[in-house]
Amino acid sequence: MFGLSEIAILLIVVALVVGAKKLPELARSAGKASRILKAESRAMKADDGAGEPAATYTVKETRPADGER
């Protein structure tokens, strides 16, 4: 895989390309994505693959039915 020196060089290049101001935002986005992925994989394991997978989110906005306008 990668050694410590390769990872350090990669991080320096990313810092130069992206810029110091964008790095915290990038790390925050990566953390959120990681948490979502972990939650979804846990939900899939809990479901045991039986039937339709359960939604791990809730709908906050409702729309009127077709004839209710």
Side-chain angles (χ1 to χ4, degrees):
M1 249 353 218
F2 292 110
L4 186 60
S5 60
E6 288 89 4
I7 292 174
I9 292 171
L10 183 65
L11 290 175
I12 291 171
V13 170
V14 168
L16 291 174
V17 171
V18 175
K21 291 183 180 182
K22 293 284 184 176
L23 282 177
E25 181 181 335
L26 232 142
R28 195 173 302 119
S29 296
K32 285 181 182 178
S34 174
R35 282 190 298 273
I36 291 171
L37 182 63
K38 185 183 279 186
E40 290 295 329
S41 66
R42 284 182 184 162
M44 294 287 286
K45 286 180 184 177
D47 190 32
D48 291 329
E52 182 121 356
T56 57
Y57 57 89
T58 58
V59 177
K60 295 183 180 180
E61 179 182 334
T62 58
R63 296 183 184 172
D66 288 336
E68 294 182 12
R69 288 187 181 210

